[in-house]
Amino acid sequence: GLIFGQNGITAAVNTHFTTSGTGLYKHTTKVQSHPGVTFRSVSGANGYTISGRLDMSGASASASMPIALPVGARIIAVRVFIQDSGVGPTKLTASLRSLTSAGTATTIASSSESSGGATNQTLTVSPAATSIASSTGYSVGIVTTTGSDATIVWGCEVDYDQP
């Protein structure tokens, strides 16, 4: 039978509901949280700590973190929590990227450059809403844009919804 809930649907404890066909469970904005250690070193002298952060150093040091969301989910924003360095100064930039199964890589959007002030900062990537497509992988990249001193990636958050 058809169930209609104008202000939501409540199910009894330990019961389930099934959406058939192409129906989806839709939701408003949710947040995926990732520690710095989920970033994989791409270049530079990068290391990980037991506390869960990524330490990066070296000119053009970079790292990448995969985003695992279902096809059809929509990425709304990405925030990378970093500490740059006043030596140099050493500054960082974050980006949202895609890579198709045909090998086409695209930078969807990038953050502004960090300040180089040796402080904790949030690099925000604000793409036009980006829907996860089949046969395409998505990732967050972080790269040293100037300087080569030690920097820290504390973690990352990905805002997404299921429209």
Side-chain angles (χ1 to χ4, degrees):
L2 178 65
I3 298 175
F4 179 78
Q6 190 158 357
N7 294 318
I9 297 171
T10 303
V13 175
N14 297 325
T15 60
H16 306 277
F17 70 90
T18 302
T19 303
S20 62
T22 59
L24 291 172
Y25 165 72
K26 297 183 179 204
H27 57 77
T28 57
T29 303
K30 289 189 172 190
V31 179
Q32 259 189 357
S33 182
H34 305 271
V37 296
T38 56
F39 282 83
R40 294 191 49 116
S41 176
V42 176
S43 64
N46 299 333
Y48 305 94
T49 67
I50 192 122
S51 65
R53 76 183 197 211
L54 166 66
D55 293 335
M56 293 185 5
S57 62
S60 300
S62 62
S64 181
M65 182 203 76
I67 298 174
L69 291 170
V71 170
R74 185 172 54 187
I75 299 171
I76 298 167
V78 174
R79 289 175 301 286
V80 182
F81 309 108
I82 60 102
Q83 183 181 68
D84 60 11
S85 174
V87 177
T90 303
K91 299 178 181 182
L92 302 171
T93 301
S95 62
L96 173 63
R97 302 172 180 169
S98 66
L99 178 64
T100 68
S101 60
T104 303
T106 303
T107 298
I108 297 167
S110 297
S111 71
S112 298
E113 193 174 58
S114 67
S115 70
T119 58
N120 289 328
Q121 298 163 58
T122 301
L123 301 179
T124 302
V125 180
S126 301
T130 300
S131 293
I132 302 295
S134 62
S135 303
T136 303
Y138 296 83
S139 63
V140 177
I142 186 88
V143 65
T144 301
T145 52
T146 65
S148 60
D149 198 42
T151 59
I152 298 170
V153 178
W154 299 109
C156 176
E157 289 180 343
V158 178
D159 293 350
Y160 70 100
D161 68 4
Q162 184 71 54

